[in-house]
Amino acid sequence: MNGAALQPLTFWLLLLFGITAPLLFPAYTNQIAVLWLMIVFASTWDILGGQMGYNSLGNIFFFGAGMYVSAVIQIGLFYDVGLYTSGARTIHIAFSHEQYFIGFVLGIAAAGIVSAALAVAVGWIVFGLRGPYFAIGTLGVAVAGAELMASWEWVGAASGISMPVFPGGPEAQKLFFYLLLFGLAFALLLFLRWLYSTNFGLAINAIRDDEEKAEAMGLHTRRYKRTAWVISAFFLGIAGAIFGNMTGFIEPRDIAFPTTTFNIFMVLMVLLGGKGTLWGPVVGAVVFHLIKEFTWTYFLGWQFVTLGLLIVIIVVYFQQGIVGWILEKYPERFGVKVAPKESRSIDGQLAAQPEGAE
Amino acid sequence: MEQVIGNISVLMTAPIFNFGLLIDGLLIGSIFALAAYGLALVWGVMNVKNLAQGDFIMIGGYLTWCLGRLGIHPLFGVPVAIVVLWGIGWVLYRTVISKVITRDLFTSLLATFGIAIVIQQGLNLTFGPDTQSAQAQLPTWEFAGGLITVTATRVIGFIFAAILAVAVILFMKNSRMGQAIRATAQDARAARVLGIDTEKVYSFTFCLNAAICGAAGALVAVVWNVQPFMGTTYSIRLFVIVTAAGFGNLPGVIAAGFGMGVFEQFGGFVLGAQFQQALIVLLLLFVLAVRQLQQLKVRQAVQ
């Protein structure tokens, strides 16, 4: 079986799993919902990190931005946000059915759009930077976002905002957010599969391989870079809006802009799965999330030490990732017949887009 | 906002305060300059951006704090921290850094980031998340009728930092190893061709950097305070200093270190201490943006 036949089948299997999972494992609906979120994280990080070679440490900025935008829209449509946040301790405001869903839909749409707009704005600052400067600069953007939100009284500063309560039972709520996150992840994967098979995919790969040459060949590298970031920011913003509503309470440092947890997880998941492939981030996210959910509680406070060690080990010893390793080991399974050495990234490419662009 | 304007007007009406902040900034900046020199060294010689730099400083600080609790004068923490951090640096070089030198830059960045998380959380689990400070029991001098206070620890910290910096600079200029390090920084391949064991040079450089950080950390614990998660702030600070100055530019690094100290003192006074981290991060973005504009003139990317 080669890559071309594998792809639609994988999508069908994914769809089947996504729909049946909450029925098969009703106790784990929330965990599986977070798994879809992790897949969104990993896949959006890979647009820049894997396909374009721009390793960002600040993608979480758009997640947090989306979360806050949706919160402000959902509350601001019906109440005064400043009063809502300052009175959070004393008054309880109930949202009606209609108010909730109108606010929710508008909030999610606005979250995606504003995040994308922010990506354009931030792109002006960071896209003249390369390599480690880009990583540090984007990390700076994310930390600055967290600090800004933590000191802004209007949106609740460091004590956060409690989101409107979902009108409906806890089971319905779980299922609702599960389906939203699953739908987002599935749509993202379909979209990326299409995106990587277009000229756009080839262009960002060219930027990864040699940006100067790509520019010399007439590619408007800045435009491509910005577009790639806007796509990634759009999906992350929506993910942030959904997740904010799912947790019901948002707070700047640990939920909206968690620079040391989700932000690092996304890099780690992509490296674990294999960067620059469509399925690598998905595999990485699944493996990472399973390991994390099963072992996290047994570490008794040593979780983050383990996380740090895991980063070092993966980065130093296993950088090609699971999918990268399989592609290297069995290239013929994916219909690739290229001389082995130094062709790993090309293999990955061909496997991800067997029909090829052009 | 009113508070900020109030603080600014205090500075305007009583210029003597400016002088006090300036002195404090310069005294603290000397420690930043010392640690930034270590970062610049590793950056220039090995092309590794060490994000665990600030956490090395914290290890040095906690060592000193422990000594202080055992009843030993914390200034003895400086040599102890140098020795211990040298060892830690060597172990890290053998296990991690030596394997990422030849890889792309993001690899080393991420690897050192992993090390930073391990150190942070390790310190957090061992010593708890509280802010600690080593008490040196030294006097505080007052000038201008009590308007300017200078603590003896800060002056001693400054003197120590200056001695260490001069020692390292003399070592780099005159010793055989120092020459080898500079040669490797200029052109590693040519250095290898001429018979310099670059592997040894890298290892030595990384250990030296760790030791410098340890000394800086010991001074930080005496002069200021230490806390497990402060390491990141230090890393960003040092990164700002080296980025602003350029890693080959030693006088620039020292000047930027002092500048950072002064900037933070004034920023902290005007805006309040809770904005310290935000200020540093904004400064980072500002420095990166300026570097970019400079490079734009010659049509190059900051890399």
Side-chain angles (χ1 to χ4, degrees):
Chain A
M1 180 185 289
N2 65 23
L6 191 84
Q7 292 242 335
L9 181 68
T10 325
F11 274 105
W12 285 115
L13 286 175
L14 209 62
L15 188 63
L16 188 71
F17 173 76
I19 291 171
T20 52
L23 303 172
L24 292 175
F25 316 103
Y28 297 104
T29 312
N30 267 345
Q31 277 86 337
I32 303 175
V34 176
L35 171 64
W36 294 116
L37 179 69
M38 291 291 170
I39 289 177
V40 172
F41 278 156
S43 299
T44 48
W45 192 85
D46 194 55
I47 301 175
L48 261 81
Q51 302 284 347
M52 207 172 79
Y54 268 73
N55 300 297
S56 150
L57 286 178
N59 276 8
I60 204 71
F61 175 72
F62 302 113
F63 180 73
M67 204 179 266
Y68 268 98
V69 167
S70 84
V72 167
I73 297 271
Q74 277 173 272
I75 296 161
L77 276 180
F78 307 105
Y79 294 101
D80 183 273
V81 179
L83 284 180
Y84 182 90
T85 48
S86 60
R89 297 273 175 284
T90 48
I91 45 167
H92 182 72
I93 296 164
F95 288 80
S96 75
H97 253 253
E98 262 170 45
Q99 284 182 333
Y100 183 84
F101 285 108
I102 290 172
F104 187 70
V105 171
L106 290 179
I108 285 186
I113 292 163
V114 173
S115 291
L118 280 172
V120 175
V122 176
W124 284 111
I125 308 177
V126 295
F127 273 128
L129 308 169
R130 300 272 170 88
Y133 283 103
F134 181 77
I136 299 274
T138 47
L139 181 65
V141 171
V143 176
E147 295 295 328
L148 186 71
M149 284 304 167
S151 58
W152 193 1
E153 287 295 334
W154 190 64
V155 293
S159 49
I161 313 179
S162 26
M163 299 294 285
V165 183
F166 181 79
E171 287 306 312
Q173 182 189 11
K174 264 191 203 170
L175 211 59
F176 177 69
F177 288 113
Y178 173 87
L179 286 176
L180 278 177
L181 283 174
F182 166 65
L184 182 68
F186 196 74
L188 173 67
L189 286 173
L190 278 176
F191 175 73
L192 287 183
R193 176 170 186 259
W194 169 78
L195 186 75
Y196 294 159
S197 71
T198 58
N199 274 340
F200 182 85
L202 289 179
I204 58 175
N205 287 161
I207 291 173
R208 171 189 63 193
D209 295 339
D210 192 328
E211 189 167 344
E212 264 74 37
K213 282 203 191 89
E215 202 168 347
M217 299 292 279
L219 291 181
H220 291 277
T221 49
R222 278 214 167 212
R223 201 180 297 163
Y224 281 106
K225 288 191 283 191
R226 207 177 306 135
T227 315
W229 221 30
V230 164
I231 293 169
S232 158
F234 177 75
F235 281 98
L236 274 173
I238 293 178
I242 298 174
F243 190 69
N245 278 287
M246 187 174 153
T247 52
F249 173 76
I250 67 180
E251 178 267 353
R253 290 203 178 91
D254 291 328
I255 298 173
F257 301 95
T259 40
T260 47
T261 53
F262 284 167
N263 192 27
I264 297 306
F265 291 171
M266 48 176 119
V267 185
L268 205 56
M269 288 183 294
V270 173
L271 291 182
L272 183 66
K275 38 197 238 182
T277 58
L278 179 60
W279 294 107
V282 180
V283 173
V286 172
V287 172
F288 180 81
H289 192 62
L290 284 179
I291 295 178
K292 182 172 153 287
E293 287 298 316
F294 282 117
T295 61
W296 217 233
T297 44
Y298 298 108
F299 283 120
L300 299 171
W302 288 83
Q303 289 99 334
F304 284 98
V305 177
T306 323
L307 176 72
L309 285 175
L310 206 62
I311 295 177
V312 175
I313 292 167
I314 291 176
V315 164
V316 175
Y317 296 101
F318 194 60
Q319 219 190 34
Q320 82 265 47
I322 298 168
V323 170
W325 180 77
I326 295 174
L327 283 172
E328 199 167 289
K329 191 110 177 166
Y330 310 105
E332 67 282 0
R333 296 265 172 98
F334 296 87
V336 179
K337 298 184 201 71
V338 192
K341 283 274 167 187
E342 296 182 352
S343 57
R344 183 161 49 77
S345 57
I346 301 168
D347 291 354
Q349 234 18 71
L350 289 176
Q353 33 172 290
E355 286 100 32
E358 297 303 321
Chain B
M1 204 61 216
E2 298 84 51
Q3 201 190 345
V4 172
I5 293 164
N7 286 334
I8 293 175
S9 66
V10 167
L11 285 184
M12 301 293 261
T13 47
I16 196 84
F17 271 128
N18 288 307
F19 196 62
L21 287 176
L22 187 70
I23 289 177
D24 259 1
L26 289 178
L27 293 181
I28 286 171
S30 65
I31 300 176
F32 294 163
L34 182 66
Y37 181 61
L39 182 67
L41 197 65
V42 168
W43 192 330
V45 176
M46 305 157 73
N47 211 358
V48 167
K49 276 87 178 160
N50 183 15
L51 271 186
Q53 194 83 358
D55 302 284
F56 287 169
I57 294 180
M58 285 300 119
I59 298 184
Y62 270 101
L63 279 172
T64 310
W65 177 70
C66 285
L67 285 182
R69 293 241 305 199
L70 292 174
I72 302 167
H73 194 274
L75 283 178
F76 285 108
V78 176
V80 175
I82 289 179
V83 173
V84 174
L85 261 293
W86 185 285
I88 294 177
W90 189 81
V91 171
L92 284 177
Y93 179 80
R94 283 284 132 195
T95 50
V96 180
I97 307 294
S98 63
K99 305 208 166 39
V100 297
I101 288 181
T102 50
R103 309 266 279 278
D104 65 303
L105 294 171
F106 187 64
T107 306
S108 62
L109 196 72
L110 209 56
T112 51
F113 194 64
I115 296 174
I117 293 181
V118 173
I119 296 177
Q120 262 175 31
Q121 300 291 341
L123 287 176
N124 184 26
L125 289 172
T126 329
F127 299 107
D130 298 328
T131 305
Q132 309 284 8
S133 163
Q135 297 302 326
Q137 267 109 34
L138 288 169
T140 299
W141 297 309
E142 292 188 352
F143 297 103
L147 283 174
I148 299 178
T149 55
V150 177
T151 53
T153 47
R154 289 197 173 173
V155 176
I156 290 174
F158 179 83
I159 294 169
F160 260 75
I163 292 172
L164 283 168
V166 169
V168 171
I169 291 166
L170 285 179
F171 171 81
M172 294 293 285
K173 277 257 174 335
N174 299 324
S175 76
R176 196 86 183 135
M177 194 61 182
Q179 286 173 342
I181 291 175
R182 285 188 293 138
T184 313
Q186 280 177 4
D187 190 334
R189 211 161 134 216
R192 240 184 331 261
V193 169
L194 292 172
I196 291 172
D197 184 353
T198 48
E199 186 62 19
K200 209 164 143 194
V201 168
Y202 289 149
S203 158
F204 186 89
T205 312
F206 196 76
C207 294
L208 181 65
N209 169 45
I212 291 175
C213 286
L219 296 177
V220 165
V222 177
V223 172
W224 232 346
N225 44 32
V226 287
Q227 199 261 340
F229 299 105
M230 259 181 204
T232 314
T233 318
Y234 276 95
S235 295
I236 296 182
R237 232 177 233 150
L238 301 179
F239 203 88
V240 172
I241 293 171
V242 177
T243 309
F247 53 75
N249 178 1
L250 179 58
V253 167
I254 290 173
F258 284 126
M260 187 83 197
V262 174
F263 171 81
E264 260 188 42
Q265 287 297 314
F266 277 93
F269 184 83
V270 172
L271 293 176
Q274 72 272 29
F275 287 100
Q276 190 193 34
Q277 198 178 5
L279 263 180
I280 296 167
V281 172
L282 288 178
L283 191 66
L284 167 72
L285 293 178
F286 176 73
V287 165
L288 286 177
V290 170
R291 289 289 287 181
Q292 242 189 108
L293 288 179
Q294 285 174 345
Q295 298 288 49
L296 219 56
K297 281 186 201 143
V298 286
R299 285 194 61 75
Q300 269 184 348
V302 183
Q303 55 184 347

